[in-house]
């Protein structure tokens, strides 16, 4: 038994409280090293005196479930509900040749009597549950880059605006997209089935992307007015569509008035401590002598520990929630802002709207931001990376893909996974159809996965109709509104998947999940005690035949959910042929 690989800590993704008061416990062991794990646990104060006057700690033993396997480790889990909300616990690890007891103080030959050696979860407080707002679990997002979605009002076009889609996008050109254009196409979005809109920045700025904010309290004039935005919010809410805005609190734009004051007045500026300026006079070339986003001199970094800066940005966060009833904030470059600022930001906005969704842009392991005091969720870029590596770049095998995806699942508590923001393309990445060499079968498989997987999925505008484009600025083309230019096959496929996700609770973050490798397919099983849903995708150029077995204890009905037809009744297993580059979604109940 390789005990060096055994790991647990009584916090974060290894021990966490669920909203209903349950406690989820996870243990990591070496892959294929241990064939059974038992949890040994009890209330720390529950002791019984025997006839000889000796005190014995009362503990119980329960089997843990093998919940996932990646390339290096097995993950075991169990859900318990301590009757008095407290728990001391350890693990009995059993292999073919030995058993070892693992607890907070180390490894022993057998379970110990003194519970002071055991892991401690001092109290299960439901207020500590890291659950996402319930509405997020049932939301399918649609990301809009406002300058390129639709031009609804030519009167607010900036100077030099080009005719819609008359040229390739560049870092500096404008085509006149605005908020009225979005309002005009809400019927289209409702028909597609999305029920959440995520806008890249809409505040006053000089660029076409608006990540260089000049005024955080004003809508950019090229997008419209506050009245237009209020109308957009109202129209969305009438249709059951939520709205999330993009906040750039890491840095301002070059023409942000306080930074302009610093450029003008130097060390005498009253705003000099709003930014991280290392010395005066200010120098911008070859590299700025003040902190910036990357090394871009036109995006100076805020000093969010400065009380005036903090108050200003917190007021921004409150303003758009209170005055316009937005439903979420997406936080740009969130990992470069200090944790204390985000704690205060969460308190400020949640006091106004408790079910507001707070989403951080973080590209790496994000557990430090997901402990219930900062963000509800983060953008799930590891999901995107693995999807592209398998379907587009074809650099990993089906098995490696599933192992990688399992690793990502166990990075965070299951409660967080329900709200992870899953994406396959955005304004920062090449178009998914372009990434796949314009192979439609690959793209359809990707969306099948995206729209059935745990989390809250997001579609980048135009991906649903086969828009192409390389890295920024190529991925920021104008949305074509001539339906003859739309790939209707892809649109209808995505539309049907969204509809299915809304109808089938197990596809919308209800129940548990486990990746399962079957004959070269990629697949996962989502399940509860009464029902299972299996999602199977064949990424290969050959047909695959697979024998599927139900985990239910009774004979069941097998149904193809996309085709809406019964495949087999009263059976615990079924043989399925999945053609090359195809997929199937099966319910078992």
């Amino acid at each position: 038994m390789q005990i060096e690989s055994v790991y647990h800590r009584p916090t974060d993704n290894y021990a966490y409280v669920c909203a209903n008061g349950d406690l989820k416990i996870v243990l990591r062991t070496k892959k294929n090293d241990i064939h059974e794990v038992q949890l040994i646990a009890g209330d720390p104060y529950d002791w019984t005196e025997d006839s000889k006057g000796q005190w014995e700690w009362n503990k119980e033993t329960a089997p843990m479930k093998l919940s996932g396997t990646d390339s290096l480790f097995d993950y075991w889990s169990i859900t318990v509900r301590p009757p008095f909300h407290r728990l001391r616990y350890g693990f009995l690890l059993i292999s073919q040749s030995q058993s070892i007891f693992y607890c907070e103080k180390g490894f022993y030959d057998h379970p110990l009597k003194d519970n002071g050696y055991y892991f401690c979860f001092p109290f299960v407080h439901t207020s500590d549950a890291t659950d996402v707002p319930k509405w997020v679990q049932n939301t399918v997002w649609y990301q809009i880059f406002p300058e390129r979605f639709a031009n609804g009002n030519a009167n607010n076009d900036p100077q030099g605006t080009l005719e819609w889609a008359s040229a390739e996008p560049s870092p500096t050109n404008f085509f006149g997209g605005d908020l009225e254009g979005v309002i005009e196409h809400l019927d289209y979005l409702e028909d597609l089935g999305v029920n959440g809109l995520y806008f890249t920045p809409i505040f006053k700025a000089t660029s076409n992307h608006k990540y260089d904010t000049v005024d955080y309290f004003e809508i950019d004039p090229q997008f419209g007015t506050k009245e237009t935005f209020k109308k957009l919010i109202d129209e969305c809410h009438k249709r059951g569509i939520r709205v999330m805005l993009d906040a750039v609190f890491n840095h301002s734009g070059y023409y942000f008035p306080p930074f302009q004051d610093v450029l003008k007045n130097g060390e005498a500026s009253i705003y000099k401590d709003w930014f991280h300026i290392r010395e005066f006079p200010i120098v911008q070339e070859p590299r700025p002598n003040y902190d910036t986003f990357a090394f871009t001199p036109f995006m100076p970094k805020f000093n969010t520990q400065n009380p005036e800066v903090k108050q200003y940005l917190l007021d921004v966060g409150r303003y758009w929630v209170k005055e316009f009833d937005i439903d979420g904030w997406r936080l740009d470059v969130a990992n470069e802002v200090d944790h204390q600022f985000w704690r205060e930001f969460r308190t400020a906005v949640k006091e106004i709207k408790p079910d507001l969704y707070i989403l951080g842009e973080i590209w790496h392991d994000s557990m430090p931001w997901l402990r219930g005091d900062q963000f509800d969720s983060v953008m799930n870029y590891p999901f995107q990376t693995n999807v592209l590596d398998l379907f587009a770049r074809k650099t990993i095998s089906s098995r490696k893909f599933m192992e990688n995806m399992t690793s990502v699942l166990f990075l965070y508590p299951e409660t967080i996974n329900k709200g992870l923001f899953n994406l396959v393309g955005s304004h920062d990445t090449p178009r998914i159809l372009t990434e796949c060499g314009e192979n439609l079968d690959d793209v359809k498989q990707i969306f099948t996965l995206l729209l059935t997987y745990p989390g809250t999925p997001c579609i980048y505008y135009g991906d649903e109709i086969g828009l192409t484009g390389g890295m920024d600025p190529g991925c920021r083309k104008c949305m074509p509104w001539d339906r003859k230019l739309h790939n209707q096959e892809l649109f209808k496929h995505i539309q049907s998947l969204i509809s299915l996700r809304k109808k089938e609770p197990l596809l919308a973050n209800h129940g548990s999940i486990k990746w399962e490798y079957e004959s070269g397919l990629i697949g996962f099983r989502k399940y509860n005690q009464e029902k299972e849903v299996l999602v199977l995708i064949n990424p290969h150029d050959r047909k695959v035949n697979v024998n599927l077995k139900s985990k239910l204890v009774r004979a069941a009905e097998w149904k193809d959910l996309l085709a809406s037809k019964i495949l087999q009744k009263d059976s615990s297993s079924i043989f399925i042929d999945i053609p090359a580059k195809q997929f199937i979604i099966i319910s078992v109940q």
Side-chain angles (χ1 to χ4, degrees):
M1 189 181 298
Q2 189 179 88
I3 62 174
E4 303 96 305
S5 297
V6 176
Y7 183 72
H8 174 80
R9 64 176 180 267
T11 185
D12 291 342
N13 49 325
Y14 284 89
Y16 52 90
V17 181
C18 303
N20 63 358
D22 287 345
L23 176 64
K24 185 73 172 281
I25 297 173
V26 177
L27 174 74
R28 189 195 76 187
T29 65
K30 182 179 181 293
K31 183 176 182 177
N32 298 328
D33 188 40
I34 292 169
H35 73 268
E36 182 182 349
V37 177
Q38 295 178 358
L39 181 77
I40 300 176
D43 187 283
Y45 303 105
D46 186 10
W47 295 73
T48 299
E49 185 179 14
D50 64 19
S51 59
K52 297 181 180 179
Q54 300 295 314
W55 288 90
E56 182 78 18
W57 179 46
N58 295 319
K59 54 188 181 294
E60 295 182 355
T61 300
M64 296 186 71
K65 177 178 62 177
L66 179 60
S67 299
T69 298
D70 63 20
S71 58
L72 297 175
F73 304 111
D74 287 334
Y75 298 90
W76 304 80
S77 68
I78 189 171
T79 300
V80 297
R81 178 168 290 192
F84 301 102
H85 311 292
R86 306 167 299 232
L87 201 70
R88 284 276 188 174
Y89 61 94
F91 307 94
L92 186 63
L93 314 175
I94 303 170
S95 70
Q96 296 292 342
S97 58
Q98 64 179 136
S99 64
I100 291 179
F101 178 66
Y102 171 51
C103 58
E104 186 176 75
K105 300 295 192 289
F107 295 89
Y108 297 87
D109 292 336
H110 53 80
L112 304 176
K113 292 184 177 182
D114 184 350
N115 66 20
Y117 283 71
Y118 287 62
F119 290 104
C120 178
F121 203 95
F123 205 87
V124 177
H125 295 280
T126 55
S127 59
D128 290 335
T130 54
D131 217 4
V132 297
K134 293 192 183 310
W135 62 266
V136 175
Q137 301 177 33
N138 300 306
T139 300
V140 177
W141 294 95
Y142 188 89
Q143 181 188 353
I144 292 179
F145 191 85
E147 219 285 315
R148 304 292 160 75
F149 186 67
N151 189 343
N153 184 356
N155 294 325
N156 58 26
D157 288 356
Q159 186 175 3
T161 294
L162 302 175
E163 183 180 348
W164 193 256
S166 62
E168 289 297 311
S170 80
T172 57
N173 58 13
F174 292 85
F175 293 93
D178 54 30
L179 298 178
E180 286 189 45
V182 178
I183 294 172
E184 289 177 0
H185 291 94
L186 286 177
D187 285 346
Y188 168 85
L189 297 171
E190 191 173 29
D191 184 46
L192 177 61
V194 298
N195 54 358
L197 299 184
Y198 152 43
F199 289 90
T200 54
I202 62 172
F203 307 130
K204 188 175 181 180
T206 58
S207 66
N208 56 32
H209 56 73
K210 310 302 179 191
Y211 280 96
D212 55 340
T213 312
V214 172
D215 191 333
Y216 288 81
F217 287 96
E218 294 295 333
I219 302 288
D220 193 286
Q222 82 159 96
F223 291 157
T225 64
K226 289 181 178 178
E227 289 72 26
T228 309
F229 182 57
K230 180 63 175 174
K231 180 182 177 182
L232 171 60
I233 294 284
D234 290 343
E235 289 297 320
C236 285
H237 286 175
K238 286 178 186 177
R239 299 166 185 258
I241 297 174
R242 307 277 183 157
V243 176
M244 178 166 63
L245 295 185
D246 207 326
V248 190
F249 292 165
N250 175 68
H251 57 271
S252 75
Y254 184 77
Y255 294 101
F256 181 57
F259 188 68
Q260 286 292 304
D261 190 273
V262 174
L263 291 177
K264 177 182 178 181
N265 297 308
E267 199 163 6
S269 172
I270 62 173
Y271 297 107
K272 66 182 177 65
D273 293 329
W274 278 45
F275 308 94
H276 296 271
I277 300 170
R278 293 188 288 277
E279 59 185 356
F280 289 94
I282 286 180
V283 174
Q284 296 179 334
E285 299 294 341
R287 282 187 175 179
N289 62 352
Y290 51 94
D291 290 349
T292 64
F293 168 69
F295 292 106
T296 307
F298 304 108
M299 294 183 178
K301 181 177 174 62
F302 278 122
N303 176 11
T304 48
Q305 296 181 49
N306 178 289
E308 293 177 355
V309 172
K310 185 181 293 187
Q311 187 63 50
Y312 175 82
L313 295 178
L314 293 180
D315 286 345
V316 172
R318 294 185 189 98
Y319 177 75
W320 295 97
V321 179
K322 183 177 181 180
E323 299 298 327
F324 297 90
D325 196 25
I326 66 170
D327 303 289
W329 277 116
R330 183 265 190 186
L331 307 171
D332 189 60
V333 202
N335 60 332
E336 295 187 23
V337 178
D338 64 282
H339 289 281
Q340 182 57 30
F341 174 81
W342 290 134
R343 293 185 185 101
E344 295 182 38
F345 177 82
R346 180 183 182 90
T347 298
V349 296
K350 294 271 190 177
E351 282 179 348
I352 300 171
K353 194 169 188 175
D355 68 344
L356 187 88
Y357 181 47
I358 303 177
L359 171 69
E361 184 207 15
I362 300 179
W363 293 62
H364 51 81
D365 183 354
S366 307
M367 197 64 243
W369 291 267
L370 296 172
R371 290 176 174 139
D373 60 343
Q374 295 173 66
F375 305 159
D376 294 314
S377 179
V378 292
M379 301 181 78
N380 194 358
Y381 287 106
F383 175 93
Q384 180 188 31
T385 298
N386 286 318
V387 165
L388 293 178
D389 283 349
L390 177 69
F391 292 101
R393 303 170 187 139
K394 304 188 189 305
T395 55
I396 59 175
S397 66
S398 299
R399 184 183 293 275
K400 181 61 176 174
F401 171 80
M402 289 191 288
E403 290 173 344
N404 291 350
M405 294 294 278
T406 298
S407 296
V408 176
L409 273 179
F410 285 94
L411 270 178
Y412 309 120
E414 191 175 275
T415 49
I416 292 294
N417 288 331
K418 292 179 182 179
L420 282 182
F421 193 85
N422 297 332
L423 69 162
V424 295
S426 75
H427 64 288
D428 288 326
T429 64
R431 290 279 176 177
I432 190 62
L433 186 58
T434 298
E435 288 272 30
C436 291
E438 302 196 19
N439 186 310
L440 186 61
D441 286 338
D442 286 336
V443 174
K444 289 174 69 176
Q445 290 185 101
I446 286 172
F447 277 106
T448 300
L449 177 62
L450 174 69
L451 292 166
T452 59
Y453 198 67
T456 184
C458 182
I459 300 164
Y460 183 43
Y461 83 97
D463 278 354
E464 78 281 4
I465 51 98
L467 208 57
T468 58
M471 185 63 89
D472 166 32
C475 57
R476 302 176 181 182
K477 288 181 180 178
C478 293
M479 179 76 171
W481 289 109
D482 181 351
R483 298 298 175 95
K484 295 177 183 177
L485 301 176
H486 293 194
N487 186 313
Q488 291 296 333
E489 180 184 350
L490 181 57
F491 179 91
K492 290 176 181 177
H493 176 63
I494 292 173
Q495 185 184 48
S496 65
L497 287 166
I498 295 174
S499 176
L500 181 60
R501 186 181 180 94
K502 291 178 179 179
K503 293 175 184 175
E504 175 46 65
L506 280 177
L507 292 179
N509 299 303
H510 302 276
S512 301
I513 178 174
K514 186 177 181 182
W515 281 96
E516 296 184 1
Y517 181 78
E518 296 279 2
S519 304
L521 301 175
I522 64 167
F524 58 86
R525 185 185 303 263
K526 299 186 75 174
Y527 57 92
N528 56 31
Q529 291 183 341
E530 291 79 35
K531 188 175 183 180
E532 302 171 313
V533 172
L534 287 80
V535 179
L536 300 171
I537 299 173
N538 179 9
H540 305 295
D541 294 319
R542 65 183 188 279
K543 179 179 72 175
V544 172
N545 178 270
V546 61
N547 181 19
L548 303 175
K549 296 182 180 180
S550 171
K551 303 292 186 185
L552 301 177
V553 296
R554 52 178 169 76
E557 175 185 276
W558 300 73
K559 184 178 181 180
D560 182 334
L561 291 179
L562 281 175
S564 191
K565 67 177 183 180
I566 295 174
L567 301 173
Q568 193 164 294
K569 290 187 175 183
D570 300 323
S571 175
S572 60
S573 64
I574 189 173
F575 283 93
I576 295 286
D577 282 329
I578 303 181
K581 300 287 187 178
Q582 295 301 307
F583 42 82
I584 191 168
I585 305 171
I586 301 173
S587 70
V588 189
Q589 64 180 5

